[in-house]
Amino acid sequence: MLLKLFNICAFILFIPIYPFVGLFFLTLLSYGALAKRLIRLYYGATFKGFLEGLDAIWNVETGSSRSMLNLLFFVESPLEGHSDIPERFLRDIRKTILEKLKDTPRQPYPRIFWTRRQRFGYCFWTDDSKLTIEDYVRFMEPIGKDCGGGGSERKFLDEAQLHEFAGKVSNRHLPNGHAACWELLIGTEPVRQGKSDTAATVKYPMMLRLHHTAGDGMAIVKLILDTITGNHAALAARICTPAKPAEEPKKCGGLKLTQLLKLGLNGPAIVLRMIFRKSEKSYLSTTKVTDYKVANWHHEPPVDVPEQAVISIVKRTKQLVEGGRFSDVFLLALASSFQKFFDAKGEPAPEQGISVIVPGRAGSEAKSLKIKNRFTTRHQQLKIGRGVQLDSPDKLSKLRQQLSIIAQGSTCTRSNASHTVTSWFISTLTGMLPVPMLRLVVHSFRVNVVFSILPEIEQVSFQGLRMVDPVLLLPNTGNISICLAVLTFGNKVHVGILADRTIVSSEEEAHLIVEEVVAEIQRMGKVLDEEQKMTSISFENE
């Protein structure tokens, strides 16, 4: 009742302001239209339009926080005869990209070859790049400290060297003065699989770096899969997200009519809460994101029993509560992981919890195969606390209770009016704002953590070489200091983290966070296995 009263009072308070707000946006529209006309006159047919919505948001960056998506993956090869893999992969992937993406009569993803520019305060695309395929796809610089030789004398890397390299490269600028949209780096130094004295295979690191204006995390996976398969139907089949048919509601400007009415009533109250909301005070908060990043990841090892795979445990655990989601289980594991991180740093966990951005895809994946930003963001308050205690007699009921709290919070944020307002603002209004205003918007988000969970992807190969162990490293932008991403590939979970060194000071600390997320899920699996065993015994005794 009090909330409704506050919303009504805020709406009434804003009534005198609405004409000025309308005049402000009318002025912006007029200025934007004039800027677009002048830019079109200067660039002619090469002008491809302004960056809009999420694209415009992601183009707001600084040297210490570039909007780069980094997908690190490996190409697996037998130990014998692997020395020509980098050269062969470089040659074949260049040829494939030219044939399937660039030199076709109808380019499936033309945007990735466009150039990002800025004039009169607005960012826009032009199709006048002079870059060649050799600029986009090239060898990595040597990573190892002693990297001489070639051919059969290639030096082997270890994971620690890759962690350090990924942290340094993740925020580096792209070709053409950072105006290009992507690059693919081919590693020439292999990583030995398993124990060095018994390994039968090696894997070469590859890193696809995509600017976030060109697409989101799912887009970068699409780009790789479509390049490899060259078949949109096969690509749709590999992305295991079922399409959900739904009735087309009456819409107005991209929103349901009921949502638009709700927006008009609740919008002022939400704006007031955002203005007067206090910043989170915790160790994760930082006043300035730096150029020094820490990267780490966890690759799930093979398991003998399919039910013990992380993805299988997550599927079983989410069934403990009605309406449970994959993200709820991972968020619960993340809460436990951060508790141990705070303990290790000797810092108190914030009593009110932490705000986490949980990106989600808008719509189904089966029909829309464009490389673009299609995600929506929701802010969820995550209560930090101890996870599963295996020696507790009521561990199952506690797990169910903790998961229920997370699930209720997820449902609340998904249906919250502020989520609707934020999504509408980002998708509709941001394209009207010039860069200085967008910068204020980006830095107004008082959130320090992003946790993204991508749909499950099947295993793929390229020219007979298996692609294995992909890790997605999300950018630290604005005030965000820690980004985690979960990617399930070939029924194995891979968790990546990219963090600012002001918060996570070493690769070991980053490793603790991702390892503990997986370890907590495995403890959930033990609780479920024990319960199933007890149920079976009781059934046999009957």
Side-chain angles (χ1 to χ4, degrees):
M1 184 61 187
L2 287 176
L3 181 61
K4 288 184 178 180
L5 183 61
F6 175 74
N7 290 347
I8 294 171
C9 291
F11 176 75
I12 295 173
L13 182 66
F14 265 63
I15 288 177
I17 304 175
Y18 279 137
F20 298 99
V21 174
L23 181 61
F24 171 74
F25 281 111
L26 185 61
T27 304
L28 280 181
L29 281 172
S30 301
Y31 175 71
L34 176 61
K36 181 178 285 190
R37 178 176 288 273
L38 293 175
I39 293 170
R40 190 186 298 276
L41 284 173
Y42 184 84
Y43 285 95
T46 63
F47 175 68
K48 296 299 180 181
F50 280 0
L51 275 70
E52 299 177 347
L54 287 167
D55 300 342
I57 286 286
W58 284 116
N59 201 59
V60 177
E61 55 185 1
T62 63
S64 59
S65 57
R66 293 189 176 94
S67 302
M68 293 302 307
L69 289 162
N70 296 274
L71 180 67
L72 177 70
F73 62 97
F74 299 84
V75 172
E76 191 179 62
S77 170
L79 184 60
E80 296 297 327
H82 69 86
S83 59
D84 68 334
I85 293 298
E87 289 78 10
R88 183 154 56 94
F89 190 88
L90 179 76
R91 181 187 67 245
D92 291 345
I93 199 68
R94 280 176 174 174
K95 180 181 178 183
T96 300
I97 290 173
L98 285 174
E99 290 178 351
K100 296 181 179 179
L101 300 182
K102 196 172 192 304
D103 294 341
T104 57
R106 293 184 61 185
Q107 292 182 352
Y109 311 129
R111 185 190 291 192
I112 66 172
F113 298 106
W114 291 351
T115 301
R116 288 175 294 109
R117 299 185 184 276
Q118 181 177 327
R119 282 202 174 191
F120 306 118
Y122 285 95
C123 300
F124 56 94
W125 299 104
T126 62
D127 186 15
D128 57 358
S129 175
K130 300 297 190 295
L131 296 179
T132 65
I133 192 64
E134 287 76 19
D135 297 310
Y136 287 111
V137 184
R138 61 188 190 276
F139 286 129
M140 287 181 185
E141 63 267 32
I143 300 174
K145 290 182 170 58
D146 180 20
C147 310
S152 61
E153 299 299 323
R154 293 192 189 277
K155 304 298 181 181
F156 285 91
L157 295 174
D158 57 37
E159 288 281 317
Q161 291 172 314
L162 275 178
H163 294 156
E164 184 179 356
F165 171 78
K168 289 179 179 178
V169 173
S170 62
N171 201 47
R172 193 170 67 184
H173 61 76
L174 287 165
N176 193 20
H178 200 55
C181 280
W182 66 282
E183 66 179 356
L184 177 60
L185 305 177
I186 311 298
T188 59
E189 303 153 89
V191 178
R192 205 185 294 266
Q193 294 270 53
K195 295 182 179 179
S196 58
D197 55 345
T198 60
T201 60
V202 296
K203 56 183 186 179
Y204 283 88
M206 314 285 167
M207 181 175 277
L208 176 61
R209 307 183 64 238
L210 183 74
H211 199 276
H212 221 317
T213 54
D216 53 31
M218 200 63 227
I220 198 172
V221 176
K222 285 180 179 181
L223 181 61
I224 276 205
L225 293 182
D226 194 32
T227 303
I228 289 172
T229 63
N231 185 318
H232 281 184
L235 172 59
R238 290 187 185 278
I239 301 177
C240 308
T241 307
K244 295 181 180 179
E247 294 182 4
E248 282 294 320
K250 185 177 180 181
K251 294 187 177 182
C252 182
L255 284 176
K256 295 179 184 178
L257 188 58
T258 53
Q259 288 178 324
L260 194 62
L261 293 172
K262 196 179 291 186
L263 174 65
L265 180 61
N266 299 328
I270 293 168
V271 171
L272 286 177
R273 280 195 289 266
M274 290 176 65
I275 292 174
F276 294 105
R277 180 185 174 190
K278 293 182 179 179
S279 300
E280 283 184 3
K281 298 298 182 183
S282 77
Y283 178 76
L284 299 182
S285 304
T286 177
T287 55
K288 186 178 180 181
V289 176
T290 70
D291 192 26
Y292 303 100
K293 309 300 177 185
V294 178
N296 212 292
W297 48 80
H298 170 87
H299 298 306
E300 182 181 1
V303 293
D304 297 326
V305 182
E307 288 75 16
Q308 298 304 318
V310 171
I311 194 67
S312 177
I313 296 174
V314 172
K315 290 176 181 178
R316 292 157 54 202
T317 305
K318 75 184 185 73
Q319 295 175 0
L320 288 176
V321 298
E322 185 178 353
R325 301 178 177 88
F326 272 57
S327 57
D328 298 333
V329 180
F330 279 108
L331 281 170
L332 183 56
L334 181 65
S336 172
S337 176
F338 271 131
Q339 179 65 62
K340 294 202 172 183
F341 174 73
F342 281 117
D343 291 345
K345 300 291 284 188
E347 296 285 344
E351 293 183 4
Q352 77 277 14
I354 59 173
S355 291
V356 180
I357 290 180
V358 186
R361 294 289 286 178
S364 64
E365 303 295 340
K367 293 182 180 180
S368 179
L369 296 175
K370 295 181 179 179
I371 298 297
K372 61 187 297 187
N373 284 295
R374 290 184 59 247
F375 72 87
T376 59
T377 59
R378 60 183 175 89
H379 295 189
Q380 181 157 343
Q381 200 69 16
L382 183 64
K383 186 73 174 177
I384 305 301
R386 310 261 172 223
V388 172
Q389 305 296 315
L390 293 176
D391 56 351
S392 173
D394 56 345
K395 48 186 173 289
L396 180 62
S397 62
K398 287 184 177 179
L399 174 59
R400 183 179 282 110
Q401 181 183 16
Q402 290 173 331
L403 186 61
S404 177
I405 293 172
I406 296 285
Q408 288 173 14
S410 298
T411 302
C412 239
T413 54
R414 288 172 191 270
S415 58
N416 199 317
S418 63
H419 174 61
T420 304
V421 172
T422 303
S423 299
W424 179 75
F425 175 80
I426 290 176
S427 63
T428 306
L429 295 184
T430 49
M432 300 167 55
L433 302 179
V435 170
M437 293 184 183
L438 281 176
R439 202 175 299 280
L440 292 175
V441 171
V442 170
H443 289 279
S444 69
F445 293 131
R446 300 181 178 94
V447 182
N448 304 121
V449 179
V450 172
F451 193 40
S452 179
I453 303 165
L454 278 74
E456 188 176 350
I457 309 296
E458 295 179 6
Q459 189 81 50
V460 293
S461 299
F462 177 73
Q463 301 290 358
L465 300 170
R466 278 204 325 150
M467 294 174 58
V468 298
D469 298 341
V471 176
L472 183 61
L473 303 175
L474 302 176
N476 299 160
T477 54
N479 300 316
I480 295 169
S481 55
I482 298 180
C483 293
L484 296 103
V486 177
L487 181 59
T488 305
F489 189 78
N491 208 40
K492 292 165 62 177
V493 165
H494 306 274
V495 185
I497 180 173
L498 187 70
D500 199 87
R501 281 192 183 271
T502 56
I503 302 299
V504 181
S505 57
S506 67
E507 282 77 12
E508 290 74 19
E509 287 185 359
H511 189 68
L512 169 68
I513 295 174
V514 292
E515 282 288 303
E516 186 54 33
V517 168
V518 176
E520 178 65 13
I521 292 175
Q522 290 170 336
R523 285 191 285 271
M524 295 177 190
K526 290 181 180 179
V527 173
L528 297 179
D529 291 342
E530 184 176 323
E531 176 65 17
Q532 185 178 18
K533 185 177 179 181
M534 295 295 294
T535 303
S536 299
I537 293 174
S538 300
F539 181 76
E540 289 175 1
N541 290 338
E542 291 177 2

